[in-house]
Amino acid sequence: MRLIKKNSIFYVMMLPVIVYFAVFSYYPLAKGLQTSLQDYKLMGERPYIGLDNYNQVIHDPTFWDALWNTVYIGGGILITGFIAPLLIALSLNEVMKSWFKRTAQLVLYVPHLLSWVVIGGIFIFLLSPDSGLVNLLLVQIFGIQPINFMADEAWARIIMIGSAVWKDMGYNCILFLAGIAGISPTLYEAARMDGATRWQQVRYVTLPQLMNTMKVILLLNTLGIFRIFDQIFVMRNPAIASKVDVLMMYTFQKGIMEIRIGPAAAASFFVVLFTLVLASVVRKMTRFDEV
């Protein structure tokens, strides 16, 4: 009791945070779990039906198609969106001109500030078969027929992965650069005294010292794999829907478009479950607790 009274100011400071998470996170989560167990209707009685909503979702082929699309697109974004910014950060770290380094960081970071509505518009404009810059270059340089990228199933997932990686490239790159900036210069000095080349300094000093930053970025990106929605909602169209509709899109269609709240809530809990399992696997594989 005396300890609580002594630290009372800290408990008072924690109270708004606890209330915030209780109201905006845990209550909706509990309400969603309740809804997933009900024959939920907008009006009238809502009887409990056990796991029937989960059973409906499991036996829906569209759900498994959405899960495969999520794994394909999310996995592509996770891998490419981790390696590409790391390579760029390592390259920028070797640049001696500070003005060039700052300019490059600014240019790379700008797409992260744009909404998916703007990003989607940019890609639709660039990839247009009539006047898009990409098709104009393909026709002029290679002499091939214009490709309708945004309506071609073969390109659909690649475009989704590429646009997502491009958007967040600068953000992840800056996180890597911040990690590199925290490495002690004495380690590089010791390496140079031992005759290490620039590549050996990167391999034996920068990358090992950057390991904790890489673990954090990998885990944060992993948590976002099953939450992809805005990008798909903006850039999808009926021609490529079967190749890009992900789990959150499936939940949106069930809950909002078809007003089937129960199955939508059940599908959303599958998303939570998959995210927890994947995050646990990544934590275990990367030994995250040793950060």
Side-chain angles (χ1 to χ4, degrees), residues 71-90:
V71 171
Y72 192 111
I73 297 173
I77 294 172
L78 177 67
I79 296 171
T80 314
F82 178 82
I83 295 175
L86 176 61
L87 294 177
I88 292 177
L90 293 174

Side-chain angles (χ1 to χ4, degrees), residues 133-165:
L133 178 62
V134 175
N135 270 308
L136 288 176
L137 291 174
L138 289 175
V139 172
Q140 293 295 327
I141 297 175
F142 300 103
I144 62 176
Q145 292 296 316
I147 301 172
N148 195 350
F149 288 100
M150 298 302 294
D152 191 334
E153 290 186 346
W155 289 96
R157 290 167 175 160
I158 296 173
I159 291 170
M160 295 300 167
I161 293 171
S163 57
V165 171

Side-chain angles (χ1 to χ4, degrees), residues 38-205:
Q38 290 178 309
D39 181 12
Y40 195 92
K41 300 168 185 171
L42 296 180
M43 299 180 68
E45 294 185 357
R46 299 159 183 170
Y48 286 92
I49 56 174
L51 300 176
D52 281 5
N53 287 324
Y54 291 91
N55 197 37
Q56 287 182 39
V57 171
I58 288 175
H59 290 89
D60 185 355
T62 312
F63 172 78
W64 296 106
D65 291 339
L67 176 59
W68 169 241
N69 290 338
T70 305
V71 171
Y72 192 111
I73 297 173
I77 294 172
L78 177 67
I79 296 171
T80 314
F82 178 82
I83 295 175
L86 176 61
L87 294 177
I88 292 177
L90 293 174
S91 301
L92 286 178
N93 187 52
E94 299 300 316
V95 175
M96 303 306 293
K97 300 288 185 183
S98 59
W99 65 268
F100 180 81
K101 187 185 294 186
R102 288 197 298 271
T103 305
Q105 291 178 29
L106 177 64
V107 171
L108 287 169
Y109 190 74
V110 167
H112 181 72
L113 302 175
L114 304 178
S115 73
W116 271 114
V117 176
V118 178
I119 299 290
I122 292 173
F123 271 80
I124 291 170
F125 175 74
L126 288 175
L127 300 175
S128 168
D130 299 322
S131 56
L133 178 62
V134 175
N135 270 308
L136 288 176
L137 291 174
L138 289 175
V139 172
Q140 293 295 327
I141 297 175
F142 300 103
I144 62 176
Q145 292 296 316
I147 301 172
N148 195 350
F149 288 100
M150 298 302 294
D152 191 334
E153 290 186 346
W155 289 96
R157 290 167 175 160
I158 296 173
I159 291 170
M160 295 300 167
I161 293 171
S163 57
V165 171
W166 179 73
K167 184 177 187 299
D168 288 331
M169 178 88 73
Y171 177 75
N172 289 328
C173 182
I174 286 177
L175 292 179
F176 282 127
L177 285 171
I180 293 173
I183 299 174
S184 173
T186 56
L187 295 175
Y188 291 107
E189 187 177 346
R192 284 193 293 270
M193 291 177 66
D194 289 339
T197 63
R198 292 299 301 173
W199 165 243
Q200 289 172 326
Q201 290 177 39
V202 171
R203 182 178 177 183
Y204 296 109
V205 177

